[in-house]
């Protein structure tokens, strides 16, 4: 993650080449379908705030956690 104010690296994490990454104001999400994991990190520090074993789709992202779905089932995953 690059700090756009300073232009320097703020933090970094190693992820697999097939992982999907989404950057939001609340979390940086890393979904790895091959491993069946979903992780979230604080955008400013890179501290991990979620580590879930799931292949669910993310429906929404908020300040306290994620709304996920799989088929017709919807759930909430809170950040730690």
């Amino acid at each position: 993650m690059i700090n756009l104010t300073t232009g320097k690296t703020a933090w970094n994490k190693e992820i697999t080449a097939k992982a999907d990454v989404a950057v939001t104001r609340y979390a940086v999400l890393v979904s790895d379908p091959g491993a069946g994991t979903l992780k979230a990190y604080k955008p400013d520090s890179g501290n991990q705030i979620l580590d879930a074993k799931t292949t669910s789709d993310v429906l929404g992202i908020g300040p306290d956690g994620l709304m996920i779905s799989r088929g017709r089932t919807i759930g909430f995953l809170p950040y730690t």
Side-chain angles (χ1 to χ4, degrees), residues 6-80:
T6 65
K8 297 180 180 178
T9 300
W11 56 271
N12 59 40
K13 301 286 179 195
E14 296 224 2
I15 62 172
T16 63
K18 295 187 179 190
D20 295 318
V21 177
V23 179
T24 75
R25 69 186 287 185
Y26 302 115
V28 176
L29 303 177
V30 179
S31 174
D32 189 341
T37 60
L38 176 62
K39 297 181 181 187
Y41 303 94
K42 292 185 98 175
D44 58 345
S45 66
N47 292 338
Q48 186 170 310
I49 54 175
L50 178 75
D51 186 2
K53 190 81 170 157
T54 183
T55 56
S56 297
D57 296 319
V58 176
L59 296 177
I61 301 164
D64 300 318
L66 309 174
M67 291 298 298
I68 59 170
S69 75
R70 182 167 179 138
R72 298 178 74 175
T73 303
I74 296 174
F76 179 72
L77 282 175
Y79 304 135
T80 56

